[in-house]
Amino acid sequence: NAGVTQTPKFRILKIGQSMTLQCAQDMNHNYMYWYRQDPGMGLKLIYYSVGAGITDKGEVPNGYNVSRSTTEDFPLRLELAAPSQTSVYFCAAKTGSRGYGYTFGSGTRLTVV
Amino acid sequence: KQEVTQIPAALSVPEGENLVLNCSFTDSAIYNLQWFRQDPGKGLTSLLLIQSSQREQTSGRLNASLDKSSGRSTLYIAASQPGDSATYLCAVIETSGSRLTFGEGTQLTVNP
């Protein structure tokens, strides 16, 4: 049981390039999330999903897209990378049950140059 | 819009001290509250989850309390150790259970 797995761990992109950050969970959780964390700051919600086929915007969705075709996977797409997207990206998953909290992946550190 | 504030932003203490980290939130209609630990360059490790119907949770030397009516939570760390040095993040889960809002964290340094 790996929990939440993110790939890649590190990536350097040039301005204007595109990439997909992968997130997979093996806990059969319905809820999945993407956050970004800028240096010295808390986490900001980018997008989230409450189940396969359902996604919604968070606080900072501009410049990103998501899809949720299966319960297990929740990829985050950057179409035209900008320096402002340099950050650490975290994926998280949660069961719908009240008594359980969030499980986070180990993060993807992205630098746009 | 829910806002979460953590005070202090940074804290440095000698080993062995008991300490309290504070978290406040603006909308008391929350589902749960979760405390996390983040080591430099690492992901988030869940420490404690408090459901809205609970007042506190304990795990080892950690105790977290929740006062929904006043919009406050505290994380108490007993007999601090250098290994406790990390950033501690508080996050509230809204009533739908679907969204988590983070504070900016308290950076704790425990000096040997």
Side-chain angles (χ1 to χ4, degrees):
Chain A
N1 185 344
V4 178
T5 303
Q6 291 184 238
T7 56
K9 293 192 183 304
F10 303 94
R11 183 72 185 268
I12 298 175
L13 278 184
K14 294 184 178 178
I15 294 172
Q17 285 187 320
S18 301
M19 78 164 293
T20 299
L21 282 67
Q22 301 291 346
C23 176
Q25 54 106 356
D26 60 2
M27 302 175 288
N28 203 33
H29 288 347
N30 288 330
Y31 296 178
M32 295 188 75
Y33 306 80
W34 276 105
Y35 287 88
R36 61 175 286 173
Q37 184 179 36
D38 298 324
M41 306 290 286
L43 281 74
K44 303 290 186 187
L45 180 64
I46 305 172
Y47 270 96
Y48 67 104
S49 169
V50 299
I54 306 169
T55 62
D56 207 349
K57 296 178 181 179
E59 295 177 79
V60 290
N62 292 343
Y64 307 95
N65 277 300
V66 293
S67 59
R68 184 93 181 272
S69 56
T70 67
T71 298
E72 292 78 19
D73 299 299
F74 190 41
L76 178 71
R77 178 85 177 159
L78 283 71
E79 290 294 347
L80 292 171
S84 61
Q85 293 178 304
T86 294
S87 190
V88 181
Y89 292 83
F90 289 102
C91 179
K94 182 186 179 304
T95 175
S97 299
R98 186 185 186 95
Y100 295 89
Y102 289 70
T103 301
F104 278 78
S106 57
T108 294
R109 188 174 297 272
L110 175 67
T111 303
V112 182
V113 297
Chain B
K1 177 188 170 190
Q2 178 74 266
E3 292 183 2
V4 181
T5 303
Q6 290 188 246
I7 295 172
L11 181 63
S12 182
V13 301
E15 182 177 4
E17 269 204 11
N18 302 325
L19 56 100
V20 175
L21 307 182
N22 296 293
C23 172
S24 62
F25 45 95
T26 55
D27 185 349
S28 62
I30 66 169
Y31 190 69
N32 293 336
L33 184 144
Q34 194 165 359
W35 283 92
F36 294 88
R37 169 185 172 135
Q38 186 176 28
D39 293 289
K42 303 292 186 181
L44 279 71
T45 301
S46 179
L47 296 174
L48 290 164
L49 173 73
I50 312 176
Q51 297 183 40
S52 60
S53 58
Q54 298 174 324
R55 286 204 164 264
E56 64 178 320
Q57 282 286 335
T58 299
S59 176
R61 293 182 295 106
L62 304 180
N63 175 277
S65 67
L66 174 64
D67 184 343
K68 268 186 60 177
S69 61
S70 67
R72 295 180 189 273
S73 176
T74 60
L75 179 66
Y76 176 82
I77 303 177
S80 58
Q81 303 171 358
D84 294 330
S85 298
T87 296
Y88 291 81
L89 293 161
C90 163
V92 298
I93 303 167
E94 64 179 30
T95 49
S96 68
S98 63
R99 291 178 59 151
L100 191 66
T101 302
F102 281 87
E104 295 193 351
T106 294
Q107 185 173 356
L108 173 65
T109 303
V110 181
N111 301 300

